[in-house]
Amino acid sequence: MYKDKVNWGAVPVPTSAGTSADKTYTFSDAKNVGMYTACKNQGTAWDVLKFSTSKAQDGQLLSLTGQMPIRSDLTTTYPDYFAANPAYVAFGDQAARTVEVPNVSNSVEVWQTFRDAYSKSVIFGQGDIASTLGGAADKINTLVSSK
């Protein structure tokens, strides 16, 4: 966590239609766990999975790393964390409104095209944002429609 080392801030995710923050969904970037049917010790594995994804362990993940577990009630489940880190409340609130990244054709190329255009125009200020992202959208539409 940055604490007082960096002067930073956050705003709600912007949308082209001006959708309010409480109605805006973002990608979760979930790190999923699972158990295969071939697992030889399913009872033990299930106990480990329940333990590692429990409210207490999610709280440890949050307090030790600042990484927010995907929980719809994150800010109310860990009120002490958010009271001590008020700048993270918006992030915790957004955790209730996440969706999985869509599975599309050429997904690696699609996301790299977007990252490149975003980095170039928004982060590094090279070129016009609207035309750079518009060109990326055209390329992405072509990538998604081809199989």
Side-chain angles (χ1 to χ4, degrees):
M1 291 194 252
Y2 296 116
K3 299 279 182 201
D4 296 328
K5 297 175 186 163
V6 175
N7 183 9
W8 67 279
V11 297
V13 176
T15 67
S16 62
T19 305
S20 64
D22 64 335
K23 302 260 189 279
T24 303
Y25 285 73
T26 57
F27 295 141
S28 67
D29 192 29
K31 308 298 187 263
N32 297 316
V33 296
M35 177 177 30
Y36 293 99
T37 57
C39 177
K40 293 182 181 182
N41 298 303
Q42 288 187 7
T44 301
W46 181 243
D47 288 342
V48 170
L49 289 174
K50 287 190 302 186
F51 169 79
S52 63
T53 59
S54 68
K55 179 179 169 183
Q57 292 308 304
D58 276 354
Q60 285 292 309
L61 174 71
L62 180 61
S63 67
L64 293 175
T65 69
Q67 183 173 337
M68 297 188 193
I70 302 296
R71 287 182 169 264
S72 61
D73 56 353
L74 193 59
T75 55
T76 56
T77 301
Y78 308 105
D80 293 344
Y81 175 84
F82 290 102
N85 300 282
Y88 290 96
V89 170
F91 298 102
D93 181 56
Q94 186 65 44
R97 293 178 311 283
T98 60
V99 295
E100 290 302 311
V101 176
N103 186 12
V104 297
S105 299
N106 301 306
S107 61
V108 172
E109 294 87 354
V110 164
W111 292 113
Q112 191 60 55
T113 299
F114 174 75
R115 280 190 294 272
D116 291 346
Y118 184 88
S119 296
K120 178 181 177 183
S121 63
V122 177
I123 296 174
F124 299 114
Q126 299 171 351
D128 176 69
I129 293 174
S131 62
T132 301
L133 292 178
D138 291 342
K139 183 176 178 182
I140 288 168
N141 286 334
T142 300
L143 285 166
V144 170
S145 64
S146 55
K147 301 229 181 212

